[in-house]
């Protein structure tokens, strides 16, 4: 069997879709599963064990008829048996129909439902990963949702061990902080960046209370300005710059605590089981975090990240 999944969105959306892919592979262990995703998100599949091929396609770009035709041609050539789609626009539904794939699963109530063979109720009030997992019902796969999991390559785990040795945190442990946001969120004007002054207060409190527990900042490709400001104010923090999602996941897995904003690293922390405190501005933590004692949300009272009190974050860190 050949199965195709259309998964628009960023790296976080892909990670949230992993349980669906894993249970799909569990139901059809000999199936070849391919994913169509945006170029910016395809690196997520470094830590997914269930996908054999990733096909890049810019769902949000200004695609020409030639772009459409090229994707349809690629899909037709591979003769997929089933396609599952997160996309709800009518253009995505039309694309699915044009591929000629006989079984097309998506959400009921979407503008593209007319092109589907199996439509699943869309329950937006639940955790996003579970909402995605509901799509399996369109294939009569009734498997309980078991949470996020990832598969970190051994080479990335080895890299993280060397990085911890280099930073001098291998024996002491460390608190990991990721304060950045994706360029896509910035472009959309979505407030996901916590102020430098607030991070400074949190870091200084940690260093005062636990001087032997280092604070390590994660520097991503789009975080240069934020990291520079924090390190200038807090010169004793350590810095790690994993070059891919596998190495980042390995560093998160080894941390005593992850403090972060709503971002892809937050989903990685949930997947590897690291105790996580996540800061939310306009987004809804109930849809982006699972019910868990190891995943604590700090929600802005106004929807603005700047209005999250550092004292409130510190209360969650110290458990009081």
């Amino acid at each position: 069997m050949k199965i195709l999944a259309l998964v628009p969105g960023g790296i976080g959306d892909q990670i949230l879709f992993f349980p669906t892919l894993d249970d799909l592979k569990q139901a059809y262990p000999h199936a070849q599963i391919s994913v169509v995703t945006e170029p910016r998100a395809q690196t997520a599949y470094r830590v997914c064990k269930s996908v054999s091929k990733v096909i890049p396609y810019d769902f949000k770009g200004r695609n020409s008829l030639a772009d459409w035709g090229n994707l349809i041609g690629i899909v037709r050539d591979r003769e997929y048996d089933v396609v599952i789609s997160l996309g709800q626009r009518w253009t995505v539904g039309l694309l699915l129909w044009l591929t000629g794939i006989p079984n097309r699963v998506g959400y009921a109530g979407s503008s593209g439902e007319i092109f589907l063979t199996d439509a699943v109720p869309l329950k937006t009030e639940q955790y996003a990963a579970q909402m995605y997992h509901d799509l399996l019902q369109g294939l009569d796969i009734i498997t309980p949702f078991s949470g996020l999991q990832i598969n970190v390559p051994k080479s990335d785990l080895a890299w993280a061990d060397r990085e911890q040795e280099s930073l001098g945190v291998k024996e002491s442990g460390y608190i990991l902080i990721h304060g950045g946001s994706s360029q896509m969120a910035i472009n959309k004007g979505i407030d996901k960046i916590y102020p430098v002054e607030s991070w400074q207060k949190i870091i200084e409190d940690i260093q005062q209370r636990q001087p032997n527990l280092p604070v390590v900042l994660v520097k991503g490709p789009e975080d240069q300005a934020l990291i520079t400001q924090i390190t200038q104010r807090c010169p004793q923090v350590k810095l790690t710059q994993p070059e891919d999602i596998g190495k980042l996941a390995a560093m998160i897995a080894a941390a005593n605590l992850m403090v972060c904003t709503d971002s892809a690293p937050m989903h990685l922390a949930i997947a590897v089981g690291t105790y996580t405190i996540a800061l939310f501005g306009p987004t809804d933590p109930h849809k982006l975090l699972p019910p868990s004692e190891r995943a604590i949300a700090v929600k802005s009272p106004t929807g603005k990240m700047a209005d999250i009190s550092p004292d409130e974050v510190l209360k969650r860190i110290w458990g009081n």
Side-chain angles (χ1 to χ4, degrees), residues 36-306:
V36 179
T37 191
E38 296 173 38
R40 65 189 173 97
Q42 61 184 336
T43 56
Y45 290 91
R46 180 180 180 89
V47 293
C48 180
K49 61 185 178 182
S50 300
V51 170
S52 56
K53 186 168 185 61
V54 179
I55 303 169
Y57 181 75
D58 190 355
F59 289 96
K60 293 182 173 62
R62 296 181 178 178
N63 298 300
S64 66
L65 289 176
D67 295 324
W68 264 50
N70 183 54
L71 178 61
I72 291 169
I74 291 172
V75 172
R76 278 186 169 273
D77 286 346
R78 293 187 176 139
E79 299 182 335
Y80 291 100
D81 302 288
V82 175
V83 60
I84 295 179
S85 177
L86 286 184
Q88 299 176 54
R89 292 182 297 173
W90 72 268
T91 51
V92 175
L94 176 60
L95 187 149
L96 298 182
W97 179 71
L98 290 173
T99 62
I101 299 174
N103 300 296
R104 303 180 296 278
V105 179
Y107 289 116
S110 66
S111 57
E113 182 180 356
I114 191 174
F115 299 105
L116 303 175
T117 59
D118 297 276
V120 175
L122 176 61
K123 300 177 182 178
T124 58
E125 72 282 358
Q126 59 185 333
Y127 178 40
Q130 191 153 6
M131 181 181 76
Y132 297 165
H133 194 263
D134 287 347
L135 287 170
L136 294 178
Q137 297 170 15
L139 297 172
D140 294 324
I141 300 173
I142 311 300
T143 303
F145 175 76
S146 57
L148 299 188
Q149 293 183 358
I150 58 174
N151 184 44
V152 182
K154 289 183 179 179
S155 59
D156 293 339
L157 293 171
W159 177 89
D161 274 343
R162 294 192 298 271
E163 179 76 349
Q164 292 163 54
E165 292 282 5
S166 176
L167 294 173
V169 300
K170 181 68 174 174
E171 301 301 325
S172 64
Y174 55 96
I175 292 176
L176 196 63
I177 289 178
H178 181 272
S181 178
S182 70
Q183 190 61 47
M184 181 65 71
I186 295 170
N187 293 343
K188 288 182 175 181
I190 301 175
D191 179 19
K192 288 191 176 184
I193 297 181
Y194 197 45
V196 171
E197 296 80 7
S198 297
W199 279 126
Q200 179 183 1
K201 184 171 182 179
I202 291 168
I203 292 168
E204 288 178 347
D205 187 89
I206 293 171
Q207 291 174 333
Q208 181 179 2
R209 294 202 199 195
Q210 293 287 345
N212 296 321
L213 185 62
V215 175
V216 179
L217 296 182
V218 176
K219 180 182 177 184
E222 299 164 352
D223 300 333
Q224 180 63 58
L226 179 70
I227 292 297
T228 298
Q229 293 178 64
I230 294 177
T231 53
Q232 286 174 347
R233 291 169 178 258
C234 305
Q236 292 184 333
V237 298
K238 299 177 183 291
L239 192 63
T240 185
Q241 190 173 359
E243 62 186 26
D244 58 55
I245 193 171
K247 295 175 178 61
L248 173 58
M251 284 299 292
I252 294 172
N256 297 54
L257 169 69
M258 173 80 159
V259 185
C260 60
T261 54
D262 166 21
S263 58
M266 176 188 76
H267 299 302
L268 289 175
I270 301 304
V272 298
T274 296
Y275 192 92
T276 304
I277 296 174
L279 282 52
F280 288 83
T283 48
D284 185 351
H286 296 292
K287 296 181 181 180
L288 294 168
L289 285 181
S292 170
E293 294 181 354
R294 299 186 65 81
I296 308 299
V298 182
K299 171 67 176 171
S300 168
T302 65
K304 297 180 179 179
M305 291 292 287

